[in-house]
Amino acid sequence: MRKSVLSRLPKIVLALLIQFFVLGILAIGVWVVHYWIAPPYPLWLLVGLQGLLAAVLSCKLGLPCWWRWIQFFLPVGLYLGISFQLGGIWALVGFLLLYLVFFNASKERVPLYLSNDTTREALKTLAEKYQEVRFLDLGSGLGGTVAFMSQLPNVERADGVETAPLPYLLSKILTTLKGGEIYWMSLWKADLSQYNLVYAFLSPEPMPKLWHKVITEMQSGAIFVTNSFAVPDVKPTEIWELEDSRQTKLFIYQIEDEGQVASALKLSALQTG
Ligand SMILES: C[S@@+](CC[C@H](N)C(=O)[O-])C[C@H]1O[C@@H](n2cnc3c(N)ncnc32)[C@H](O)[C@@H]1O
């Protein structure tokens, strides 16, 4: 109950509440400890504890777990900035860089993290099902997966779409050197009917809407693969559990004939009311 009330708060508000809560815990801790150990206490230790506790609590109190990094680096970054007397301009530069990289984190709830080599090898195995692969990475990040796929002999076309400015720019350079094509385009505008292998590594947030797009546009026989985030209430054709350190799961959906697509659409219309 408590968790669901907290989860309904805007994430930024919840994040700040957690920081203040931890500050309160630390204040009580310092007050208790002063009976045994006389102050002052090293500031770096208190700031480190603030960041660590805030990071641990964030995941438990309803913030998406990747917010723990923000929660840790917020107090630590402020402390370092003050200690090294960094001017405000550096905070602005840092903010702009983060914004250009994590452009889609606030609106789409999808940050940047990258597929690893094991996942790319699995995609290669999947691509072996086809003689001619037309591959699309929805939200292609730094373009590594697109460049990798473009080098496979049976891949006729490897494309990516990306809207975060810095990753787009870097991926454009990479694919110019290594192959593949990146478009500065929202994944919601991509025409999926042109591809027979579509890959997404996003977050739980867009999956229901994305599934609707997938079954509306993708051709029968094509494959939709999502890394880590399954489509809710839809049984995948296969689940591949990879032997990497993060135990990646690939949820594989083979697009079936039109009758099944129509009934899936009907079901999704019923679910959305
Ligand atoms: C988790 S990363 C995955 C990167 C890459 N696909 C990989 O596997 O290495 C998700 C990417 O999707 C991008 N993204 C999120 N929403 C998007 C949208 N609506 N249109 C295009 N790209 C989007 C983000 O900017 C981010 O680079």
Side-chain angles (χ1 to χ4, degrees):
M1 176 65 188
R2 185 177 51 124
K3 187 170 173 180
S4 68
V5 171
L6 292 176
S7 308
R8 267 185 259 131
L9 289 171
K11 296 202 169 32
I12 191 78
V13 174
L14 180 56
L16 283 175
L17 281 179
I18 291 171
Q19 290 287 356
F20 283 118
F21 178 63
V22 171
L23 196 62
I25 293 180
L26 277 182
I28 295 171
V30 164
W31 179 73
V32 171
V33 166
H34 95 277
Y35 286 106
W36 291 279
I37 305 169
Y41 310 113
L43 202 52
W44 61 264
L45 181 65
L46 294 174
V47 173
L49 282 174
Q50 170 84 29
L52 270 179
L53 277 175
V56 170
L57 278 183
S58 294
C59 201
K60 299 203 182 300
L61 291 179
L63 276 179
C65 286
W66 61 270
W67 274 67
R68 61 188 158 202
W69 297 106
I70 302 176
Q71 291 289 71
F72 177 74
F73 283 111
L74 182 73
V76 172
L78 279 174
Y79 171 71
L80 290 177
I82 293 168
S83 305
F84 290 101
Q85 293 182 328
L86 291 183
I89 189 75
W90 289 108
L92 186 65
V93 169
F95 171 78
L96 279 178
L97 276 178
L98 285 176
Y99 180 73
L100 292 176
V101 173
F102 294 102
F103 183 78
N104 287 304
S106 56
K107 186 169 160 244
E108 301 277 2
R109 300 248 177 266
V110 181
L112 174 72
Y113 28 77
L114 303 175
S115 296
N116 57 23
D117 289 344
T118 316
T119 304
R120 288 181 189 154
E121 287 300 325
L123 288 174
K124 178 178 164 187
T125 308
L126 209 52
E128 281 160 6
K129 282 187 175 213
Y130 294 103
Q131 279 186 331
E132 288 181 350
V133 175
R134 296 179 306 281
F135 173 81
L136 176 66
D137 187 352
L138 290 168
S140 42
L142 301 183
T145 306
V146 172
F148 173 85
M149 294 301 285
S150 78
Q151 288 168 0
L152 303 180
N154 59 334
V155 172
E156 181 185 284
R157 176 173 176 187
D159 295 343
V161 288
E162 178 58 60
T163 47
L166 211 50
Y168 168 76
L169 203 68
L170 295 174
S171 60
K172 201 68 194 162
I173 297 170
L174 181 78
T175 49
T176 305
L177 295 173
K178 291 197 161 177
E181 186 69 62
I182 306 289
Y183 298 93
W184 191 353
M185 181 196 281
S186 167
L187 63 88
W188 304 114
K189 298 232 167 93
D191 175 6
L192 305 189
S193 67
Q194 297 181 33
Y195 302 91
N196 53 11
L197 180 55
V198 173
Y199 173 63
F201 185 18
L202 299 167
S203 80
E205 191 83 10
M207 295 319 291
K209 186 173 161 199
L210 183 57
W211 177 245
H212 190 271
K213 182 173 170 66
V214 162
I215 53 174
T216 311
E217 294 179 19
M218 285 182 74
Q219 311 271 345
S220 160
I223 291 176
F224 172 63
V225 189
T226 159
N227 184 336
S228 306
F229 309 108
V231 180
D233 304 324
V234 179
K235 194 168 180 283
T237 317
E238 284 178 55
I239 302 176
W240 288 8
E241 295 185 18
L242 307 186
E243 287 176 3
D244 54 1
S245 57
R246 62 182 293 273
Q247 296 178 302
T248 299
K249 275 190 186 169
L250 293 183
F251 299 90
I252 299 167
Y253 302 84
Q254 172 114 35
I255 308 303
E256 304 293 350
D257 59 39
E258 282 167 14
Q260 275 168 299
V261 171
S263 59
L265 277 172
K266 214 162 132 191
L267 181 69
S268 98
L270 281 173
Q271 281 170 346
T272 51

